[in-house]
Amino acid sequence: MELATQVLTEKPRKAYYWRLFATAAAFALFGLGGLCLRVLVFPLLSCLPGNAKQHQRRARHTISCLFWLFIRMMYRLGILTYSVEGAEKLGRPGQMIIANHPSLVDVVFLIAQMRQTNCVVKQSLWQNPFTRGPVRDAGYISNDGSADMLDAAADALRDGQTLIIFPEGTRTSPGQAPTFHRGAAAIALRGASIITPVVIKVSPTTLTKAEPWYRIPNRRFHFSLRVGADIEPQAFAAQGPAPQASRKLNDYLHQYFIKELAEDEQPTQP
C-alpha cells in the first residue's frame, strides 16, 4: 500500500518537472526564434521582389505560421491544452478584435488564428533584442499612448487591415476584473467597420502579470479562446460627440467582458 502511494506521488512530481523543463525550453526557443527572424529570415524575405506592403504581408504571414507551430509544440510537450471557438469569424477587413489579457501567450494565440493581421503591442517589445525585429518588419503598432498611436491604429483599420488590441494595455492581475482604457473605443469609432470581442480564459491561471514563467501550475493549463458576436461601432457613434460615444462604447465593452468572464464554465478539453 505504501509503495503504491509512493508511485502515485512520484508520477505527478515527474510530470511537473517535465512541464517545467518543457516550458523553459519553449520560451528559450521563442526568444531564439525571434532573434533568428531578425538576423536571418526577414533579411532573406526582403530580398524577394515586391514593395514595402508586400514585404510586410510576408512578415505577418511568417509570424502567424510560426506562432501556430509554437502553440502546437507546447501542446505536444504537455504544457497546455486549448480550445478555439469561432476562429472563422476573425481576419476580416477593417475588423477590430478586442480581447481581454489574462496571460503572456494571448497575442500568440490570436495572431496564430489569422495569417494577416496587425496588432497594437507593448512599447517594450520594440526595445527587446529578441522581438524588435519581428514587430518592426510586421509593421505592428507601438502602444506608447500617444496621439500618433491612435492615428496609426485608426488608419490601419481604414486601410482594410484587421487589428488586434487589448484595451487593458497590460495583463490582468489574477483575481481582479479587467480595467479597460478608452483608447481602444476611440480607435474603433474612428476606423473600425466592425468590432469583434474575443474572450480568453486560462485555467489554472499561469503566465499572468504577477507570476514569472517558471511558476507553473500543478497540471497542464487549458487555454480557451471564444469569439463573440460582432458589435457595430456606428450604433455608438450616433449617440453623441466623440468623447461621449467613446465612453459609452468603452463601458459597454467593459461590462460585456466582465459578464462573460464571470460565467463559471468548465473548459472543454480538445
Side-chain angles (χ1 to χ4, degrees):
M1 188 67 177
E2 290 181 1
L3 181 60
T5 303
Q6 184 179 357
V7 170
L8 289 172
T9 304
E10 287 178 353
K11 283 185 177 180
R13 189 180 302 163
K14 288 180 179 178
Y16 175 87
Y17 286 121
W18 164 253
R19 285 186 292 104
L20 181 61
F21 168 78
T23 302
F27 280 100
L29 183 61
F30 187 91
L32 290 173
L35 194 59
C36 184
L37 285 175
R38 177 188 173 191
V39 302
L40 181 62
V41 177
F42 286 158
L44 289 175
L45 289 177
S46 67
C47 295
L48 297 176
N51 55 32
K53 196 167 186 177
Q54 288 172 315
H55 291 318
Q56 187 181 83
R57 288 181 62 84
R58 291 191 191 111
R60 290 179 181 179
H61 186 95
T62 301
I63 291 171
S64 175
C65 290
L66 290 176
F67 277 3
W68 175 248
L69 290 174
F70 182 72
I71 292 168
R72 293 299 301 171
M73 181 192 70
M74 289 194 293
Y75 171 72
R76 294 294 184 186
L77 289 173
I79 298 171
L80 56 76
T81 60
Y82 64 90
S83 60
V84 179
E85 181 184 334
E88 68 281 355
K89 294 188 287 185
L90 300 177
R92 288 171 283 167
Q95 179 186 40
M96 184 169 174
I97 298 169
I98 289 184
N100 61 305
H101 199 2
S103 81
L104 190 62
V105 293
D106 304 332
V107 70
V108 175
F109 269 87
L110 279 171
I111 291 178
Q113 308 307 312
M114 298 161 280
R115 293 297 173 258
Q116 290 297 325
T117 185
N118 202 339
C119 184
V120 176
V121 299
K122 288 197 306 182
Q123 188 180 13
S124 60
L125 295 180
W126 291 82
Q127 281 79 49
N128 189 312
F130 297 103
T131 57
R132 67 187 181 194
V135 298
R136 181 195 62 213
D137 284 85
Y140 295 152
I141 299 168
S142 174
N143 186 12
D144 57 8
S146 67
D148 290 341
M149 182 275 287
L150 298 177
D151 291 339
D155 288 344
L157 289 164
R158 286 192 290 262
D159 189 45
Q161 299 180 39
T162 303
L163 179 68
I164 299 170
I165 189 165
F166 298 96
E168 296 170 81
T170 187
R171 282 171 284 170
T172 315
S173 297
Q176 296 184 12
T179 301
F180 282 12
H181 301 291
R182 205 184 299 176
I187 294 168
L189 291 172
R190 291 172 58 183
S193 59
I194 202 74
I195 303 169
T196 305
V198 176
V199 178
I200 298 173
K201 296 183 180 181
V202 179
S203 177
T205 60
T206 187
L207 301 175
T208 66
K209 187 177 182 179
E211 297 171 309
W213 67 266
Y214 52 82
R215 193 175 297 167
I216 64 172
N218 290 325
R219 59 181 174 85
R220 290 187 297 175
F221 70 91
H222 182 75
F223 189 99
S224 168
L225 187 152
R226 187 174 72 254
V227 181
D230 292 335
I231 300 166
E232 297 284 347
Q234 294 81 6
F236 291 89
Q239 294 185 22
Q244 182 180 348
S246 175
R247 184 174 62 253
K248 288 184 177 181
L249 176 56
N250 187 65
D251 290 344
Y252 176 86
L253 291 169
H254 190 209
Q255 292 304 315
Y256 173 90
F257 276 90
I258 287 177
K259 179 182 176 183
E260 292 294 319
L261 292 169
E263 292 181 0
D264 185 19
E265 62 177 25
Q266 282 298 114
T268 303
Q269 302 294 330

